[in-house]
Amino acid sequence: METLYITHPACHLHEMGDWHPESPSRLDAINDQLLASGIMGLVSSKTAAVATRHDLLRVHAPEYLARLDALLPAQGYAQIDPDTLMNPHTLEAAYAAAGSGITAVDAIMGATAQTAFCSVRPPGHHAGPARVMGFCFFNNLAVATAYTLEKYGIRRVAIIDFDVHHGNGTEEIFAGNDQVLMCGFYQHPFFPNVHTQNCVKNMVNVPVDAYTSGEAIREVINDSWLPRLRQFQPEFIFISAGFDAHREDDMGQLGLVESDYAWITSRVVEIADEFAQGRIVSFLEGGYNLSALGRSAVAHIKALAKL
């Protein structure tokens, strides 16, 4: 079965100023590299369905959604936190980004695809139940995870997060949920500087030092992620695919390259093939050096599609 490439035109409409690294050009960089590499012709493109309010309420508080509605500017920008702004189209983009995972899950559970990459923004893994943080408004991965657990009766979901920053919002939403196992690494000390120790048994989030190499990250995955994933035996896997741990990305100080992202993805694909009927949905998170982002996303998607 095929790999889906899911996006939505509204994801280009959200922008936070020409100076801001989380920009619409990130999606263009991925799309351009996919076209140049020839991969675009080997995956199936699909437009995301927009999430409903009910979809968001599985993981976000109703008063939070109401607060965002009230803050949306009619023109210009509204500053929400030191890093994050809204423009008049932000919520349109955020609802589309949150719906991308649901679109992917429905296709995979309907046996029309096996894996999917959601090339969407705003990103999501810092967004908690009632908090905007780090460019994130809705937790796109968490929305899709909760939907999958509720609608399809999946009993065990694994979440993989390889962004340079800790996916603290995802951890906050699912900490203590025995249907979910989250495995990640992140640079520490570094933004968001929370949850640096594993407090609950379903979280395997490993802090690593600045300048950690890709080889060392592979050891972390072999030693800490893979044994827990095999023990857990997930029936569906979601990925927060942040590419800002690339050594060319100034947003962090880790040392990954494209081959590391391909290796990580291939290990996840092996777990999915063994336990989850190959089912994986991946979401774009970070990645701000446009060349490194595009090249890394191509390596990731190739590994998802087994190309």
Side-chain angles (χ1 to χ4, degrees):
M1 286 184 287
E2 63 189 1
T3 294
L4 296 178
Y5 178 70
I6 299 176
T7 189
H8 193 286
C11 294
H12 276 82
L13 300 179
H14 164 65
E15 50 85 22
M16 296 181 279
D18 292 342
W19 60 273
H20 204 289
E22 206 296 280
S23 70
S25 60
R26 299 177 64 232
L27 302 184
D28 296 330
I30 293 172
N31 191 75
D32 290 349
Q33 287 282 356
L34 285 170
L35 288 168
S37 67
I39 301 302
M40 189 66 86
L42 302 176
V43 298
S44 180
S45 297
K46 191 175 183 67
T47 300
V50 176
T52 68
R53 206 170 186 87
H54 178 70
D55 293 327
L56 299 177
L57 288 171
R58 293 188 182 96
V59 298
H60 292 295
E63 58 271 20
Y64 173 61
L65 302 187
R67 187 163 73 250
L68 289 179
D69 288 340
L71 290 169
L72 187 72
Q75 58 184 4
Y77 302 103
Q79 183 123 17
I80 310 302
D81 75 7
D83 303 306
T84 313
L85 300 88
M86 300 175 77
N87 79 352
H89 304 287
T90 294
L91 290 185
E92 183 182 355
Y95 271 87
S100 66
I102 292 172
T103 301
V105 168
D106 284 342
I108 290 169
M109 295 304 293
T112 61
Q114 187 166 49
T115 60
F117 178 73
C118 299
S119 187
V120 294
R121 51 178 297 281
H125 73 153
H126 295 307
R131 183 187 62 247
V132 169
M133 179 182 259
F135 318 158
C136 303
F137 295 88
F138 303 142
N139 196 308
N140 306 321
L141 181 149
V143 168
T145 298
Y147 174 81
T148 304
L149 290 169
E150 179 181 304
K151 178 166 182 179
Y152 290 105
I154 295 291
R155 296 167 297 171
R156 294 181 304 279
V157 168
I159 294 170
I160 304 298
D161 190 322
F162 55 71
D163 195 277
V164 76
H165 304 99
H166 180 205
N168 60 299
T170 309
E171 178 166 316
E172 182 180 356
I173 290 167
F174 292 116
N177 185 331
D178 61 9
Q179 291 186 285
V180 175
L181 174 69
M182 181 176 176
C183 297
F185 63 81
Y186 55 92
Q187 182 178 327
H188 175 73
F190 205 41
F191 179 89
N193 294 313
V194 294
H195 297 304
T196 58
Q197 301 297 324
N198 286 327
C199 300
V200 291
K201 64 182 181 180
N202 70 318
M203 296 287 148
V204 187
N205 287 325
V206 182
V208 299
D209 295 333
Y211 309 110
T212 296
S213 67
E215 181 179 358
I217 291 295
R218 295 186 193 205
E219 291 179 8
V220 166
I221 291 167
N222 278 326
D223 293 345
S224 63
W225 289 13
L226 297 182
R228 286 294 302 275
L229 286 164
R230 291 194 173 97
Q231 180 184 40
F232 185 65
Q233 299 184 12
E235 297 176 332
F236 208 112
I237 299 178
F238 293 94
I239 300 175
S240 274
F243 300 104
D244 41 6
H246 196 285
R247 68 184 180 190
E248 295 175 21
D249 199 308
D250 292 337
M251 196 68 84
Q253 291 87 40
L254 296 187
L256 276 67
V257 294
E258 295 94 303
S259 59
D260 295 311
Y261 291 115
W263 184 91
I264 295 168
T265 307
S266 294
R267 300 294 78 73
V268 176
V269 167
E270 289 169 1
I271 294 292
D273 285 347
E274 185 173 356
F275 299 111
Q277 300 178 42
R279 300 182 292 215
I280 301 173
V281 176
S282 178
F283 298 84
L284 176 64
E285 298 286 359
Y288 305 97
N289 178 297
L290 297 182
S291 176
L293 168 62
R295 300 188 325 258
S296 299
V298 167
H300 175 60
I301 293 167
K302 284 178 68 175
L304 279 179
K306 301 179 184 177
L307 296 173

